[in-house]
Amino acid sequence: MRTKIPPLILLCIALASTAMAQTFSIVGTGTTSNTSSGYPAPFGNFYYGARHQFFVTAAQLSAAGIPAGASIQSLGFNVTATNFAATHNSFQILVYTTTLTNPISTAWFTSPMPAASTTPVNHLPVVGWNQFSFTTPFIWNGTDNLIIETCFQNTSWTANASTQWTTTLSGATFSRWYRADAAGVCASTLSSGTSTTIRPNMRIGWVPATPCAGPITPGSTLSTANPVCSGASFTLSMSSPPTGVGLTYQWQSSPDGMTWSNISGATNATYTTNQTTATWYQCVVTCTADMSTGTSTPLQVTMASFLSCYCIPVYSTGSGFGDYINSVVLNGSGSNVINNVTGP
């Protein structure tokens, strides 16, 4: 039996479906591509593995038509030729936000918490847009710059898939990469090259964020480390960060969990800091549309024992099993001076 659905209900269903559909904005205007052995190349299997970071400015996102408050859902790269590239094992995309204006010019950008990430997948590049959805979308505030990181790890090499890129960028370093015929590429801090002018074009999928509304329930305060060593950085976040446009954040600290003070400049959904004494933290979240507020459950970040806070020096000479001590000197006077040169 067929049931006739009234036109008004059909219209509502259509509007609801349209409201949830992603809008795709392309960042980058170039029309050429990397060769089968050229870099940067997010699908760069000319070596076993390849790690990349790409810098995208807030101005470039805005120019592509992405509005402040947009919920970023997915990201893709446009492959113009596969060049018989093999499946890329555990291919993953991470997205970081930053206010820095040239964050990858001298080293990799590091942050304990990405704003979004995709699930690692074994991906065979295909001609056209290769689009990847984030496990949890994130809200772009309209002012932060982005760092897009890609990485995969194979046990053999074939060729790079050719990915469309832009070669006329200026004002910052827009690409950094490392490729090697070795394991551990995705965790490496080495770099094979950087580019101030070249960056692959990217297609970003987004939907307009809905306005915030009360009640605001941020959940618990979380920390990337607890206890912590004196002076060591850690990042605070909320277990249930509210979503929507019009949210403001104010992190607070307290020595006793009762008397609270605003932390200057700590006005984002996450807060990276360090401490020398045990401290309580919480975040006050406000929805400016109706001025409703909510506070995350306070967390005390304690200090770790000095026994777990020693440093491990970096050495470049020796047996490979530990630090290389090449001499021992104990000051004294006359014949009491001990000055022994040792082996490794």
Side-chain angles (χ1 to χ4, degrees):
M1 181 180 70
R2 292 183 297 174
T3 302
K4 198 170 187 179
I5 301 175
L8 181 59
I9 295 178
L10 285 173
L11 177 61
C12 292
I13 293 173
L15 289 175
S17 299
T18 302
M20 295 304 294
Q22 291 185 52
T23 297
F24 292 102
S25 297
I26 298 176
V27 179
T29 58
T31 57
T32 58
S33 306
N34 63 279
T35 66
S36 61
S37 60
Y39 290 82
F43 303 118
N45 193 207
F46 188 66
Y47 284 77
Y48 286 10
R51 178 189 182 192
H52 287 74
Q53 282 189 346
F54 307 117
F55 177 53
V56 183
T57 68
Q60 291 166 346
L61 295 171
S62 295
I66 303 175
S71 176
I72 308 300
Q73 307 276 314
S74 65
L75 187 142
F77 299 96
N78 188 21
V79 172
T80 57
T82 62
N83 303 322
F84 303 103
T87 296
H88 289 50
N89 294 330
S90 298
F91 182 85
Q92 186 178 30
I93 300 175
L94 305 175
V95 180
Y96 299 97
T97 60
T98 181
T99 57
L100 299 175
T101 57
N102 198 6
I104 61 172
S105 60
T106 59
W108 298 96
F109 180 84
T110 58
S111 177
M113 290 188 64
S117 62
T118 63
T119 300
V121 294
N122 295 340
H123 179 70
L124 180 65
V126 296
V127 172
W129 285 102
N130 293 241
Q131 199 78 14
F132 302 85
S133 296
F134 296 118
T135 54
T136 302
F138 74 100
I139 305 299
W140 180 56
N141 61 10
T143 58
D144 281 350
N145 303 317
L146 302 184
I147 290 121
I148 312 296
E149 179 171 326
T150 67
C151 199
F152 72 94
Q153 181 68 66
N154 283 4
T155 56
S156 62
W157 64 275
T158 53
N160 294 348
S162 296
T163 305
Q164 196 172 57
W165 62 15
T166 297
T167 61
T168 56
L169 300 171
S170 62
T173 296
F174 290 95
S175 297
R176 174 175 291 274
W177 63 91
Y178 175 64
R179 72 282 193 283
D181 290 333
V185 169
C186 294
S188 176
T189 57
L190 300 175
S191 181
S192 301
T194 60
S195 173
T196 59
T197 60
I198 303 174
R199 185 189 63 206
N201 297 347
M202 287 172 269
R203 187 174 72 167
I204 297 177
W206 57 274
V207 298
T210 56
C212 62
I216 303 298
T217 55
S220 302
T221 302
L222 305 177
S223 176
T224 54
N226 193 8
V228 298
C229 296
S230 179
S233 294
F234 57 94
T235 298
L236 300 166
S237 61
M238 295 165 281
S239 62
S240 301
T243 60
V245 178
L247 292 167
T248 63
Y249 307 91
Q250 179 58 67
W251 286 94
Q252 298 179 330
S253 63
S254 170
D256 54 14
M258 294 181 289
T259 303
W260 295 92
S261 301
N262 290 343
I263 303 173
S264 177
T267 55
N268 293 319
T270 61
Y271 173 55
T272 300
T273 187
N274 63 76
Q275 63 184 35
T276 56
T277 59
T279 305
W280 290 83
Y281 298 95
Q282 65 181 19
C283 186
V284 179
V285 185
T286 302
C287 175
T288 56
D290 57 15
M291 296 310 295
S292 57
T293 63
T295 303
S296 61
T297 304
L299 171 72
Q300 186 186 35
V301 178
T302 58
M303 303 305 299
S305 167
F306 75 93
L307 295 175
S308 60
C309 293
Y310 58 85
C311 65
I312 301 176
V314 176
Y315 67 94
S316 58
T317 305
S319 63
F321 298 102
D323 298 311
Y324 176 48
I325 301 174
N326 62 8
S327 68
V328 177
V329 178
L330 296 177
N331 288 331
S333 60
S335 61
N336 293 325
V337 175
I338 297 177
N339 188 347
N340 289 335
V341 177
T342 74

